[in-house]
Amino acid sequence: MDPERAALMQMFSAETAEHLDELEGVLLELERRPDAGHLLERIFRVTHTMKGNAGSVGVHGLSELAHAAEDVIEDLHRGTLPVTGMVVSLLLETVDAARRLLAEVDGAEEPPVSTPLPTGVIERLRSARRAEREVSPSTSQGGASGAADEGDRSSGAKTVRITVEKLDSMVDLIGEVAITRNRIAREIQLAGGAIGSALRDGLEELDRLSTKLEEAIRRARMVPVGPWFRQYERAVRDLARSHGKLARLVVVHGDVEVDTAVIERLRDVLTHLIRNGIDHGLEPPEVRRACGKDPRGTITLRATHEGGGIALRVTDDGAGMNRARIAARASAQGRCPDPAALSDGELYGLVFEPGFSTATTVSDLSGRGMGMDVVRRRVESLEGSIRIESAAGVGTTMTLRLPLTLATIEGFSVSAAGERYVIPLRAVVACVGLPSGAPAAGQGGVLHVHGRALPCVRLRDLFALEGPAPDRESVVVVAHEGGQAGLVVDSLDGEGRTVIKPLGRLFRRTRGVIGSTVLGDGRLALILDVDALLNDLSRGRDGGGELPPRDRRRRAPSSEAREGAMEPEGRTR
């Protein structure tokens, strides 16, 4: 395929995919509001545009499909065919068939001479028009809605398409600039006199410009979560129907923006949580009606900015989690000797353990205990956390807390046994000196900081690092989802902007580490995952608060190993 044709087909595919997403969303809205005439006008306009585009590039199968759908939509608009769930389902089936055709076009190496006609779907569309119709007058297709729709058409910002790969490349380059800047700053600190002063002034100006450039690139990667959330409307509808339930999707604060990388890596997570909410949470219509609820359940996706990051909440208004059933299952599997002593948060957290499920039967949605543990690992790999809140008869909320961007973080650098580590600054509460009389090396313990008891552990013992401790150590007080704790380190090295680099293949499964970074002196440092680190520690402790035996502790890669596991650009060998 010649380059010009390839570029044309790429543009056609991208635009058609957007048209299909829009059609799907508006059709679902039409099912809820069958009297909204302006929705039919919008559906017709998008379908007509898609038909014209397909014909102009020679994808005649898609053009014929869109033409058959147009005829049905026109009958709906005239009122000669009623808007029913069956007709909407047929039009949604048309969207699915169009996506399959588009996938065939995308996968073709040469321009399609002809595309297969989805004759089955086209025939069902024609049959729907031939079938006996009830003529019902339309009362909501007047000019007001059309005028409003025209306003939507005329308003809109100018946009340009750019691949995510190009944005990723920009982020990598700005990261390299930041690393080089840190090295230059280190050298300038050693320079004195008028030359050193002039260089420092120039460095400050470079800092200002680099910060503005980084912020501009970061904003370019940010997209609102609303369109992403609304992609699940169809899944909620179809999954609920296939299991004898009724459900709707509600999106709250869809204008909140997040890094595109976060969205791409959370698609499967959100899908699983929604499926779980429908299968385990929502009750059948007759049960909900008997409880005084709307027979149609609600899955709510909500996004908010919290603490310099983003919180995503997946809520169902179903029966809530059954504490007694979870406790019985935990006892039966030997996961907890006394589940009754656990708080709700601790007990509900057991559903994230591998192989844990309270479902009595295995369905296409759940029952195998294979999923929630993957959800937790995926969220923690993004330097995030997940927790469950539930109330009987009210519903369940899964809260995911995540950073706004995965490219850079504000970090706090520390040292332990000659190795350097970075703690995400958002997790750092305070730094204090280690009091005299603190537990000896190799032990966990409790410190009294600002009048409160604080569990603490030495970083060198967490990672089984050899070497004597210094005469004076420091404690970094960190916040995690279970409260606060203290990490005892050899020295505090200060805060700064940290560019996240991926670990090599050998160390990707090291728990408690989310990545690495290059420091100003050129050395590599590991970036710690505070939540995973302290949660693993609390699960591994015995009742006396001692650390696990040394041979059971995680071993972080040494400086030499890290150098061999990562290329200068952060790519693994």
Side-chain angles (χ1 to χ4, degrees), residues 475-498:
V475 180
V476 181
V477 181
V478 293
H480 65 108
E481 59 185 12
Q484 293 185 0
L487 291 177
V488 181
V489 299
D490 293 359
S491 65
L492 308 174
D493 302 326
E495 63 182 77
R497 196 72 173 167
T498 299

PDB file of all heavy atoms in Angstrom, residues 475-498:
ATOM      1  N   VAL A 475      14.475   8.564  60.643  1.00  0.00           N
ATOM      2  CA  VAL A 475      13.204   7.885  60.396  1.00  0.00           C
ATOM      3  C   VAL A 475      12.376   8.731  59.430  1.00  0.00           C
ATOM      4  O   VAL A 475      12.154   9.915  59.666  1.00  0.00           O
ATOM      5  CB  VAL A 475      12.408   7.673  61.698  1.00  0.00           C
ATOM      6  CG1 VAL A 475      11.089   6.952  61.403  1.00  0.00           C
ATOM      7  CG2 VAL A 475      13.231   6.894  62.707  1.00  0.00           C
ATOM      8  N   VAL A 476      11.960   8.119  58.329  1.00  0.00           N
ATOM      9  CA  VAL A 476      11.033   8.759  57.401  1.00  0.00           C
ATOM     10  C   VAL A 476       9.635   8.236  57.716  1.00  0.00           C
ATOM     11  O   VAL A 476       9.363   7.040  57.560  1.00  0.00           O
ATOM     12  CB  VAL A 476      11.398   8.456  55.935  1.00  0.00           C
ATOM     13  CG1 VAL A 476      10.423   9.167  54.992  1.00  0.00           C
ATOM     14  CG2 VAL A 476      12.826   8.868  55.628  1.00  0.00           C
ATOM     15  N   VAL A 477       8.781   9.109  58.200  1.00  0.00           N
ATOM     16  CA  VAL A 477       7.402   8.724  58.506  1.00  0.00           C
ATOM     17  C   VAL A 477       6.610   8.757  57.202  1.00  0.00           C
ATOM     18  O   VAL A 477       6.545   9.788  56.523  1.00  0.00           O
ATOM     19  CB  VAL A 477       6.769   9.682  59.540  1.00  0.00           C
ATOM     20  CG1 VAL A 477       5.342   9.251  59.861  1.00  0.00           C
ATOM     21  CG2 VAL A 477       7.612   9.725  60.800  1.00  0.00           C
ATOM     22  N   VAL A 478       6.030   7.615  56.842  1.00  0.00           N
ATOM     23  CA  VAL A 478       5.300   7.501  55.575  1.00  0.00           C
ATOM     24  C   VAL A 478       3.855   7.108  55.850  1.00  0.00           C
ATOM     25  O   VAL A 478       3.552   6.416  56.822  1.00  0.00           O
ATOM     26  CB  VAL A 478       5.966   6.468  54.641  1.00  0.00           C
ATOM     27  CG1 VAL A 478       7.327   6.954  54.187  1.00  0.00           C
ATOM     28  CG2 VAL A 478       6.083   5.108  55.306  1.00  0.00           C
ATOM     29  N   ALA A 479       2.986   7.573  54.975  1.00  0.00           N
ATOM     30  CA  ALA A 479       1.563   7.219  55.050  1.00  0.00           C
ATOM     31  C   ALA A 479       1.278   6.146  54.012  1.00  0.00           C
ATOM     32  O   ALA A 479       1.761   6.212  52.877  1.00  0.00           O
ATOM     33  CB  ALA A 479       0.699   8.449  54.786  1.00  0.00           C
ATOM     34  N   HIS A 480       0.528   5.144  54.408  1.00  0.00           N
ATOM     35  CA  HIS A 480       0.077   4.122  53.469  1.00  0.00           C
ATOM     36  C   HIS A 480      -1.361   3.806  53.810  1.00  0.00           C
ATOM     37  O   HIS A 480      -1.941   4.361  54.752  1.00  0.00           O
ATOM     38  CB  HIS A 480       0.971   2.878  53.525  1.00  0.00           C
ATOM     39  CG  HIS A 480       0.939   2.137  54.826  1.00  0.00           C
ATOM     40  ND1 HIS A 480       0.325   0.911  54.975  1.00  0.00           N
ATOM     41  CD2 HIS A 480       1.419   2.477  56.048  1.00  0.00           C
ATOM     42  CE1 HIS A 480       0.458   0.519  56.239  1.00  0.00           C
ATOM     43  NE2 HIS A 480       1.111   1.441  56.901  1.00  0.00           N
ATOM     44  N   GLU A 481      -1.974   2.920  53.026  1.00  0.00           N
ATOM     45  CA  GLU A 481      -3.413   2.705  53.160  1.00  0.00           C
ATOM     46  C   GLU A 481      -3.802   2.132  54.510  1.00  0.00           C
ATOM     47  O   GLU A 481      -4.958   2.216  54.921  1.00  0.00           O
ATOM     48  CB  GLU A 481      -3.912   1.792  52.046  1.00  0.00           C
ATOM     49  CG  GLU A 481      -3.247   0.434  52.031  1.00  0.00           C
ATOM     50  CD  GLU A 481      -3.690  -0.392  50.843  1.00  0.00           C
ATOM     51  OE1 GLU A 481      -4.322   0.165  49.940  1.00  0.00           O
ATOM     52  OE2 GLU A 481      -3.409  -1.600  50.819  1.00  0.00           O
ATOM     53  N   GLY A 482      -2.867   1.563  55.248  1.00  0.00           N
ATOM     54  CA  GLY A 482      -3.181   1.036  56.570  1.00  0.00           C
ATOM     55  C   GLY A 482      -2.893   2.014  57.692  1.00  0.00           C
ATOM     56  O   GLY A 482      -3.067   1.691  58.860  1.00  0.00           O
ATOM     57  N   GLY A 483      -2.417   3.221  57.388  1.00  0.00           N
ATOM     58  CA  GLY A 483      -2.102   4.201  58.422  1.00  0.00           C
ATOM     59  C   GLY A 483      -0.753   4.842  58.165  1.00  0.00           C
ATOM     60  O   GLY A 483      -0.458   5.258  57.050  1.00  0.00           O
ATOM     61  N   GLN A 484       0.084   4.894  59.197  1.00  0.00           N
ATOM     62  CA  GLN A 484       1.426   5.447  59.071  1.00  0.00           C
ATOM     63  C   GLN A 484       2.442   4.477  59.653  1.00  0.00           C
ATOM     64  O   GLN A 484       2.121   3.651  60.507  1.00  0.00           O
ATOM     65  CB  GLN A 484       1.526   6.796  59.794  1.00  0.00           C
ATOM     66  CG  GLN A 484       0.709   7.903  59.163  1.00  0.00           C
ATOM     67  CD  GLN A 484       0.940   9.244  59.827  1.00  0.00           C
ATOM     68  OE1 GLN A 484       1.712   9.371  60.776  1.00  0.00           O
ATOM     69  NE2 GLN A 484       0.260  10.273  59.330  1.00  0.00           N
ATOM     70  N   ALA A 485       3.668   4.597  59.169  1.00  0.00           N
ATOM     71  CA  ALA A 485       4.756   3.752  59.647  1.00  0.00           C
ATOM     72  C   ALA A 485       6.059   4.510  59.461  1.00  0.00           C
ATOM     73  O   ALA A 485       6.103   5.556  58.790  1.00  0.00           O
ATOM     74  CB  ALA A 485       4.789   2.415  58.909  1.00  0.00           C
ATOM     75  N   GLY A 486       7.133   4.000  60.057  1.00  0.00           N
ATOM     76  CA  GLY A 486       8.432   4.634  59.946  1.00  0.00           C
ATOM     77  C   GLY A 486       9.431   3.746  59.229  1.00  0.00           C
ATOM     78  O   GLY A 486       9.537   2.555  59.531  1.00  0.00           O
ATOM     79  N   LEU A 487      10.150   4.312  58.267  1.00  0.00           N
ATOM     80  CA  LEU A 487      11.244   3.616  57.592  1.00  0.00           C
ATOM     81  C   LEU A 487      12.552   4.194  58.118  1.00  0.00           C
ATOM     82  O   LEU A 487      12.811   5.389  57.970  1.00  0.00           O
ATOM     83  CB  LEU A 487      11.156   3.801  56.074  1.00  0.00           C
ATOM     84  CG  LEU A 487       9.988   3.118  55.346  1.00  0.00           C
ATOM     85  CD1 LEU A 487      10.017   3.476  53.866  1.00  0.00           C
ATOM     86  CD2 LEU A 487      10.059   1.607  55.520  1.00  0.00           C
ATOM     87  N   VAL A 488      13.361   3.364  58.751  1.00  0.00           N
ATOM     88  CA  VAL A 488      14.641   3.814  59.307  1.00  0.00           C
ATOM     89  C   VAL A 488      15.700   3.725  58.211  1.00  0.00           C
ATOM     90  O   VAL A 488      15.892   2.660  57.607  1.00  0.00           O
ATOM     91  CB  VAL A 488      15.040   2.961  60.526  1.00  0.00           C
ATOM     92  CG1 VAL A 488      16.362   3.454  61.104  1.00  0.00           C
ATOM     93  CG2 VAL A 488      13.944   3.004  61.590  1.00  0.00           C
ATOM     94  N   VAL A 489      16.379   4.849  57.950  1.00  0.00           N
ATOM     95  CA  VAL A 489      17.373   4.914  56.880  1.00  0.00           C
ATOM     96  C   VAL A 489      18.685   5.449  57.449  1.00  0.00           C
ATOM     97  O   VAL A 489      18.732   6.029  58.532  1.00  0.00           O
ATOM     98  CB  VAL A 489      16.882   5.811  55.727  1.00  0.00           C
ATOM     99  CG1 VAL A 489      15.601   5.247  55.126  1.00  0.00           C
ATOM    100  CG2 VAL A 489      16.651   7.243  56.205  1.00  0.00           C
ATOM    101  N   ASP A 490      19.751   5.267  56.676  1.00  0.00           N
ATOM    102  CA  ASP A 490      21.060   5.752  57.116  1.00  0.00           C
ATOM    103  C   ASP A 490      21.171   7.267  56.991  1.00  0.00           C
ATOM    104  O   ASP A 490      21.743   7.930  57.859  1.00  0.00           O
ATOM    105  CB  ASP A 490      22.170   5.090  56.298  1.00  0.00           C
ATOM    106  CG  ASP A 490      22.277   3.590  56.584  1.00  0.00           C
ATOM    107  OD1 ASP A 490      21.498   3.098  57.431  1.00  0.00           O
ATOM    108  OD2 ASP A 490      23.120   2.932  55.960  1.00  0.00           O
ATOM    109  N   SER A 491      20.639   7.824  55.870  1.00  0.00           N
ATOM    110  CA  SER A 491      20.752   9.267  55.660  1.00  0.00           C
ATOM    111  C   SER A 491      19.605   9.769  54.803  1.00  0.00           C
ATOM    112  O   SER A 491      18.992   9.003  54.050  1.00  0.00           O
ATOM    113  CB  SER A 491      22.091   9.622  54.994  1.00  0.00           C
ATOM    114  OG  SER A 491      22.164   9.079  53.686  1.00  0.00           O
ATOM    115  N   LEU A 492      19.336  11.082  54.944  1.00  0.00           N
ATOM    116  CA  LEU A 492      18.319  11.756  54.146  1.00  0.00           C
ATOM    117  C   LEU A 492      19.031  12.593  53.096  1.00  0.00           C
ATOM    118  O   LEU A 492      19.873  13.427  53.423  1.00  0.00           O
ATOM    119  CB  LEU A 492      17.449  12.652  55.031  1.00  0.00           C
ATOM    120  CG  LEU A 492      16.820  11.991  56.275  1.00  0.00           C
ATOM    121  CD1 LEU A 492      16.104  13.033  57.124  1.00  0.00           C
ATOM    122  CD2 LEU A 492      15.852  10.890  55.860  1.00  0.00           C
ATOM    123  N   ASP A 493      18.710  12.381  51.818  1.00  0.00           N
ATOM    124  CA  ASP A 493      19.455  13.029  50.739  1.00  0.00           C
ATOM    125  C   ASP A 493      18.678  14.114  50.009  1.00  0.00           C
ATOM    126  O   ASP A 493      19.177  14.660  49.024  1.00  0.00           O
ATOM    127  CB  ASP A 493      19.920  11.966  49.731  1.00  0.00           C
ATOM    128  CG  ASP A 493      20.793  10.912  50.405  1.00  0.00           C
ATOM    129  OD1 ASP A 493      21.526  11.278  51.343  1.00  0.00           O
ATOM    130  OD2 ASP A 493      20.721   9.735  50.002  1.00  0.00           O
ATOM    131  N   GLY A 494      17.434  14.412  50.430  1.00  0.00           N
ATOM    132  CA  GLY A 494      16.698  15.525  49.854  1.00  0.00           C
ATOM    133  C   GLY A 494      15.673  15.116  48.823  1.00  0.00           C
ATOM    134  O   GLY A 494      15.603  13.958  48.387  1.00  0.00           O
ATOM    135  N   GLU A 495      14.840  16.093  48.424  1.00  0.00           N
ATOM    136  CA  GLU A 495      13.752  15.837  47.486  1.00  0.00           C
ATOM    137  C   GLU A 495      14.057  16.428  46.127  1.00  0.00           C
ATOM    138  O   GLU A 495      14.953  17.263  45.972  1.00  0.00           O
ATOM    139  CB  GLU A 495      12.452  16.434  48.025  1.00  0.00           C
ATOM    140  CG  GLU A 495      12.470  17.959  48.185  1.00  0.00           C
ATOM    141  CD  GLU A 495      11.187  18.487  48.769  1.00  0.00           C
ATOM    142  OE1 GLU A 495      11.004  18.364  49.988  1.00  0.00           O
ATOM    143  OE2 GLU A 495      10.358  19.016  47.989  1.00  0.00           O
ATOM    144  N   GLY A 496      13.284  15.997  45.119  1.00  0.00           N
ATOM    145  CA  GLY A 496      13.463  16.518  43.767  1.00  0.00           C
ATOM    146  C   GLY A 496      12.558  15.795  42.799  1.00  0.00           C
ATOM    147  O   GLY A 496      11.913  14.797  43.136  1.00  0.00           O
ATOM    148  N   ARG A 497      12.510  16.310  41.581  1.00  0.00           N
ATOM    149  CA  ARG A 497      11.708  15.697  40.525  1.00  0.00           C
ATOM    150  C   ARG A 497      12.384  14.419  40.082  1.00  0.00           C
ATOM    151  O   ARG A 497      13.583  14.402  39.786  1.00  0.00           O
ATOM    152  CB  ARG A 497      11.583  16.653  39.347  1.00  0.00           C
ATOM    153  CG  ARG A 497      10.481  16.299  38.366  1.00  0.00           C
ATOM    154  CD  ARG A 497       9.131  16.567  38.961  1.00  0.00           C
ATOM    155  NE  ARG A 497       8.057  16.401  37.995  1.00  0.00           N
ATOM    156  CZ  ARG A 497       6.797  16.344  38.331  1.00  0.00           C
ATOM    157  NH1 ARG A 497       6.446  16.434  39.605  1.00  0.00           N
ATOM    158  NH2 ARG A 497       5.859  16.212  37.419  1.00  0.00           N
ATOM    159  N   THR A 498      11.631  13.326  40.043  1.00  0.00           N
ATOM    160  CA  THR A 498      12.199  12.019  39.741  1.00  0.00           C
ATOM    161  C   THR A 498      11.573  11.473  38.462  1.00  0.00           C
ATOM    162  O   THR A 498      10.346  11.394  38.350  1.00  0.00           O
ATOM    163  CB  THR A 498      11.937  11.032  40.900  1.00  0.00           C
ATOM    164  OG1 THR A 498      12.557  11.547  42.083  1.00  0.00           O
ATOM    165  CG2 THR A 498      12.499   9.668  40.584  1.00  0.00           C
TER     166      THR A 498
END
